[in-house]
Amino acid sequence: MTRLHDLTALEQAAAVRSGEVSPTELVTHCLRRIEALDAGLGAFITVTPERALAAAAQAERRLRAGGELPPLLGVPTAIKDLTSTAGVRTTFGSRVTADHVPTVDDAVVTRLAAAGTLSVGKTNTPEFGFPGYTDNDVVGPARCPWDPTLLAGGSSGGAAVAVAAGLVPVAHGSDGGGSIRIPASVNGLVGLKPTRGRVSNAPLGSEVTGLVTHGPLARTVRDAAAVLDAMAGPEVGDPWWAPPLPPGETFLAAADRPPGRLRIAVFTESPMPDAVLEPEIVTALDDAAGLLAELGHDVEEAPPSLLGPEVLPAFERVWALSGATLQVPEGRVGELRPLTRELRARGLALSARDALESLATLRAVSRRFLRATAGFDVLLAPVTTMTARPIGWFDADGDGAADFARNERYAAFPALSNITGQPAVSLPLHRTAAGLPVGSMLVGRPADEATLIALSAQLEQARPWASRHPAAWGSAAG
């Protein structure tokens, strides 16, 4: 028997249009599953049933009125709690801002609503999104539904858990150094970080570093592409924007066409000079390379020595810049978690010269790297160096600097595409002997999400994953 959460987002949208199911039924189903399951998973910080049901009723009125309908009308989703939502508590994962209620929506929230999606709440995120795992002093950790003793990754960990456990079909995430792709890998999902400027950070998102963008977490490539279509587009005043698709083209359409024969480079050089891959990660990477070759692509090793020793220290300083701008009253700094305090202190200690030179270094590295890899259509790389980490592995000793160092070793690869601005996706192509997901990362040419999506869809067709679910999926709450 097919249950409502077995349907993909696009299937739900089609069922709403045909009258097989109502938006209220979909939202009620999601809320019921959240109530039954989320206490043991930590996907959500705030759930908004009244707002979601009111939006569902409005969607039903729109259906009855007829006329042109948005593509995802009636599909439930959730917004990461780093992203402002007017009238809804937005904690940024911190007890210092636990009562913050924005007066404006971020542009991506407005675009998702315009596409017809219905948000049921705000998903769990670490304090101000700094680490590659999700835990905080507001609601605690986001737990991997495949093994709740493990962290769900971050910083979009709550979003990934919500999708992987069937609480919502798709969710919004954001990514400044792997924060969509890491939890996608850990939880067995498609996690797509678009190219820089594809999705606007307006009106309040940080534009200084150019590292952060919004993107989707989904069970299928087609769902991820459809949500990217909903998110994409610049806002007036954006400092950069990706070139639009040709007239009439969509990212969803790209998922339905063959990618052609591509030249793909396996890339295992990291800004972390001593990064070591666990055997299970090596197996996953080799398996993905073999599958790509079987599908007819030209797979080869990337040229060596594409990154210099200047990359890591420059990235560390630029990452800490965000800590310098935190709106935290001096009297409450002690309430921040050790990692946040550490990065805030590092950011405030930077001179203007150090900050600007670090930004310039990353721009120079980006240009050099993009030129050196311009002959390849796609790069294949690990997402993380290790499988999912146990709860407490990063921060049990309370040392912020050590926590940051562990994050760097764990997530030694994904930040490079934030530096270069390239689109990148994590695909759930591998399972460990214990059944835990391990993602493989594909990185595309700048502004070429279309090729990345077409290739991802080809891989999904060759090795389908959407029907693989953790135990929570079959809960009686469904």
Side-chain angles (χ1 to χ4, degrees):
M1 182 181 68
T2 299
R3 299 155 298 188
L4 291 179
H5 61 281
D6 291 326
L7 301 175
T8 67
L10 287 168
E11 288 169 344
Q12 289 188 9
V16 166
R17 286 172 177 268
S18 69
E20 296 174 66
V21 67
S22 73
T24 296
E25 288 174 309
L26 289 173
V27 166
T28 300
H29 183 79
C30 289
L31 292 172
R32 187 183 303 122
R33 287 184 62 80
I34 292 168
E35 183 177 10
L37 299 173
D38 195 44
L41 295 174
F44 284 84
I45 290 180
T46 301
V47 182
T48 56
E50 295 84 3
R51 288 175 65 102
L53 289 167
Q58 176 62 33
E60 289 166 13
R61 289 191 290 271
R62 189 165 185 177
L63 277 166
R64 289 193 296 270
E68 186 175 355
L69 298 174
L72 298 174
L73 184 66
V75 176
T77 190
I79 305 299
K80 184 177 176 180
D81 208 33
L82 288 183
T83 301
S84 292
T85 44
V88 178
R89 183 174 74 139
T90 301
T91 72
F92 307 109
S94 177
R95 61 180 172 181
V96 176
T97 47
D99 298 321
H100 173 63
V101 178
T103 58
V104 297
D105 282 335
D106 278 352
V108 68
V109 175
T110 302
R111 286 179 179 265
L112 285 171
T117 65
L118 310 173
S119 175
V120 298
K122 305 299 293 290
T123 55
N124 201 358
T125 190
E127 190 168 57
F128 299 109
F130 282 122
Y133 64 93
T134 299
D135 196 358
N136 57 50
D137 295 334
V138 182
V139 296
R143 299 171 180 269
C144 174
W146 297 89
D147 180 349
T149 68
L150 302 177
L151 289 159
S155 61
S156 304
V161 173
V163 177
L167 308 184
V168 292
V170 290
H172 157 269
S174 58
D175 190 315
S179 289
I180 287 173
R181 292 157 288 159
I182 294 167
S185 174
V186 168
N187 294 281
L189 301 173
V190 177
L192 176 59
K193 181 200 84 71
T195 201
R196 180 180 293 135
R198 178 69 68 195
V199 181
S200 176
N201 286 333
L204 302 175
S206 172
E207 308 284 5
V208 175
T209 65
L211 297 175
V212 180
T213 188
H214 303 272
L217 288 123
R219 286 162 43 211
T220 70
V221 173
R222 296 186 81 250
D223 276 3
V227 175
L228 180 56
D229 280 324
M231 292 179 169
E235 296 289 326
V236 173
D238 284 352
W240 40 64
W241 53 90
L245 293 175
E249 290 289 323
T250 66
F251 293 115
L252 180 57
D256 294 328
R257 62 174 175 255
R261 184 171 179 171
L262 303 177
R263 188 180 181 210
I264 299 172
V266 181
F267 183 74
T268 56
E269 182 182 356
S270 166
M272 283 290 294
D274 56 350
V276 177
L277 301 181
E278 281 187 349
E280 197 73 63
I281 304 299
V282 174
T283 298
L285 189 68
D286 290 345
D287 183 43
L291 179 57
L292 287 163
E294 288 173 18
L295 292 171
H297 301 292
D298 298 318
V299 181
E300 58 191 275
E301 294 293 325
S305 304
L306 297 181
L307 303 174
E310 74 276 18
V311 180
L312 182 62
F315 179 81
E316 289 176 337
R317 288 191 289 269
V318 169
W319 194 247
L321 275 177
S322 299
T325 62
L326 296 179
Q327 301 298 306
V328 178
E330 199 63 40
R332 302 195 66 182
V333 171
E335 298 178 52
L336 299 173
R337 289 170 71 92
L339 174 61
T340 310
R341 292 201 305 271
E342 171 71 20
L343 292 173
R344 177 180 180 273
R346 292 188 189 188
L348 291 171
L350 284 174
S351 68
R353 178 175 179 174
D354 287 341
L356 290 172
E357 285 185 347
S358 297
L359 286 166
T361 295
L362 294 188
R363 299 290 184 266
V365 167
S366 176
R367 291 188 180 95
R368 186 174 72 230
F369 181 83
L370 290 171
R371 290 191 183 107
T373 58
F376 298 102
D377 299 294
V378 172
L379 306 179
L380 169 67
V383 180
T384 60
T385 61
M386 313 172 201
T387 53
R389 298 292 86 194
I391 291 171
W393 185 83
F394 290 94
D395 62 346
D397 59 10
D399 184 328
D403 186 344
F404 187 51
R406 293 183 191 106
N407 271 275
E408 289 184 303
R409 291 201 305 276
Y410 174 66
F413 290 91
L416 180 59
S417 58
N418 298 88
I419 293 170
T420 63
Q422 292 168 271
V425 63
S426 177
L427 301 177
L429 292 173
H430 184 70
R431 290 289 188 277
T432 69
L436 295 177
V438 176
S440 298
M441 182 165 62
L442 300 174
V443 181
R445 287 191 170 111
D448 190 15
E449 290 97 331
T451 296
L452 208 56
I453 289 168
L455 177 60
S456 297
Q458 183 187 49
L459 289 164
E460 183 178 18
Q461 183 177 22
R463 189 177 293 175
W465 55 68
S467 61
R468 295 192 297 233
H469 305 300
W473 192 269
S475 163

